[in-house]
Amino acid sequence: MREIDGPACAAALLRWYDGAARVLPWRVSPAARAAGARADPYRVWLSEVMLQQTTVATVRDYFHRFTARWPDVHALAAAPEAEVLAEWAGLGYYARARNLIVCARAVAAAGGEFPHDRKALQALPGIGTYTSAAIAAIAYDAPETVVDGNVERVVARLFAETAPLPRSRPRLAELAARLTPQRRPGDFAQAMMDLGATVCTPRSPDCAACPVQGFCHAQALGIAAQLPAKAPKAAKPQRHGLAYIARRSDGALLLETRPPRGLLGGMPGWPGTDWPDAAQTPTPAPPLAADWRLTPGTVRHTFTHFHLSLQVAIAEVGPQAEAGRGQFRADFDPGALPTLMRKCWDHALAAFGDIGGGAPLR
Ligand code: SF4
């Protein structure tokens, strides 16, 4: 097994972090921490939940908007769910937003302080292994090891661990724990994240600029860019379906709230069919009787476990039209739609100007 002088490696990384830490809206700089400032657990939690599956560049604006509107956990706990979901629209993985609200309410009900202990944090909705470690380390400086994709990559390279992900995940966590110092574990966690995001990047690690180059086995072996090894991914299945967009003559649009559980749960969307596999035919489910027209082309979207191809049918209906599902909304805001539904709207928009065109939907 390849060895690394963990304390020396951590010290080198922290020296680099003291001068090169990224400025992030949820972060307390290393200089401020050294002067006694502490990160706000609410902001650490919120940022970490937002950053799951999403880039820092995307999260910044969302984070600013959320914290301007709901500056602490009590404010977020008191917010109506629909408003939080609307503010989250576009960030994806909407179960995170629903858990965010439930978690905020649980923390507020217990007095408003996030637990310090990792196990107690994990008892809260939506807080798993990673987020609990991040909050404990960054907000409370507990000596916890925080392992995200960036950290897995850095550790795989430092130790030249060639076993492929995801099988190597427990091993990489164990190796990362060996490097985690007792002093400044919160800064160390953030330094590892920064190193992975800015220097030890996936395709072209900048080893010449790396503060821990002298400890890195993959760099010495010339295999850095090949790590971490990954097991081949299974191809995602393809599904398909149909969305119905009805516009009333007064401009109101027919929207529904999706069921609370499942994909896009609790979010606003267009009524539609089920989304079966490509070999099956979606069950027609028009929300009202109308002269439905199929718009040309399809909307494509990728979820975690499948690709989706949606056709969009549109209809202009009279002022008295009533739907069997959903509600006509005059206060339609495209910005409050999740990305898939927004794509359907953008797709339909041009067709509404040409409502006579398009193939009739039989
Ligand atoms: Fe990554 Fe290169 Fe630094 Fe090793 S030396 S940790 S491969 S950037």
Side-chain angles (χ1 to χ4, degrees):
M1 191 195 64
R2 297 185 176 91
E3 293 292 347
I4 286 181
D5 181 343
C9 181
L13 186 64
L14 283 166
R15 272 197 301 279
W16 169 79
Y17 181 71
D18 286 341
R22 288 179 292 174
V23 176
L24 300 172
W26 47 85
R27 176 175 282 178
V28 172
S29 71
R33 278 178 94 99
R38 285 289 164 262
D40 176 351
Y42 169 69
R43 292 167 73 86
V44 174
W45 162 71
L46 184 61
S47 64
E48 290 299 341
V49 174
M50 286 182 166
L51 284 163
Q52 291 163 20
Q53 317 281 346
T54 316
T55 63
V56 165
T58 302
V59 164
R60 276 180 197 273
D61 284 350
Y62 281 89
F63 183 82
H64 282 307
R65 281 206 304 275
F66 263 72
T67 49
R69 196 163 172 189
W70 301 298
D72 58 37
V73 74
H74 291 290
L76 185 59
E81 179 173 302
E83 288 184 23
V84 177
L85 290 174
E87 206 64 88
W88 190 275
L91 260 184
Y93 299 92
Y94 294 94
R96 287 184 298 165
R98 291 192 300 278
N99 277 333
L100 196 76
I101 300 163
V102 182
C103 182
R105 290 176 183 165
V107 173
E113 186 174 2
F114 281 82
H116 295 219
D117 172 67
R118 192 171 170 182
K119 284 276 173 278
L121 283 163
Q122 283 182 28
L124 290 166
I127 298 190
T129 310
Y130 168 79
T131 310
S132 62
I135 297 170
I138 298 170
Y140 298 123
D141 237 357
E144 298 288 356
T145 304
V146 185
V147 187
D148 66 357
N150 277 331
V151 175
E152 282 178 346
R153 183 171 61 255
V154 172
V155 171
R157 288 171 175 173
L158 280 172
F159 287 90
E161 175 60 53
T162 54
L165 286 168
R167 181 162 56 83
S168 61
R169 196 152 277 148
R171 170 78 179 147
L172 293 177
E174 186 192 310
L175 293 173
R178 285 194 207 172
L179 300 178
T180 302
Q182 290 295 310
R183 228 188 114 252
R184 299 181 66 192
D187 278 347
F188 177 79
Q190 295 175 95
M192 286 289 272
M193 293 173 189
D194 280 15
L195 187 74
T198 63
V199 178
C200 193
T201 53
R203 284 194 191 82
S204 48
D206 186 2
C207 299
C210 179
V212 291
Q213 184 194 13
F215 301 89
C216 183
H217 290 287
Q219 199 272 336
L221 293 166
I223 58 170
Q226 295 158 35
L227 298 181
K230 290 184 182 157
K233 279 190 184 163
K236 287 186 185 185
Q238 179 74 49
R239 295 202 205 168
H240 66 145
L242 177 66
Y244 299 93
I245 303 184
R247 186 166 66 180
R248 225 166 44 186
S249 49
D250 62 0
L253 287 143
L254 180 61
L255 286 152
E256 65 177 9
T257 301
R258 294 180 61 80
R261 303 230 168 265
L263 282 169
L264 312 179
M267 299 296 292
W270 310 110
T273 64
D274 52 352
W275 299 338
D277 292 341
Q280 294 172 292
T281 306
T283 310
L288 76 176
D291 180 19
W292 291 102
R293 301 260 153 184
L294 259 189
T295 58
T298 55
V299 169
R300 293 180 183 281
H301 191 74
T302 295
F303 288 103
T304 316
H305 299 299
F306 64 93
H307 299 294
L308 178 66
S309 169
L310 276 190
Q311 288 190 291
V312 180
I314 61 171
E316 294 274 27
V317 296
Q320 306 303 329
E322 293 209 4
R325 55 193 274 202
Q327 277 187 318
F328 279 98
R329 303 276 301 268
D331 59 345
F332 169 61
D333 172 13
L337 293 175
T339 305
L340 169 64
M341 300 300 170
R342 177 66 188 263
K343 285 182 186 174
C344 292
W345 172 243
D346 291 344
H347 182 88
L349 209 47
F352 268 117
D354 183 25
I355 194 80
L361 186 62
R362 305 269 178 228

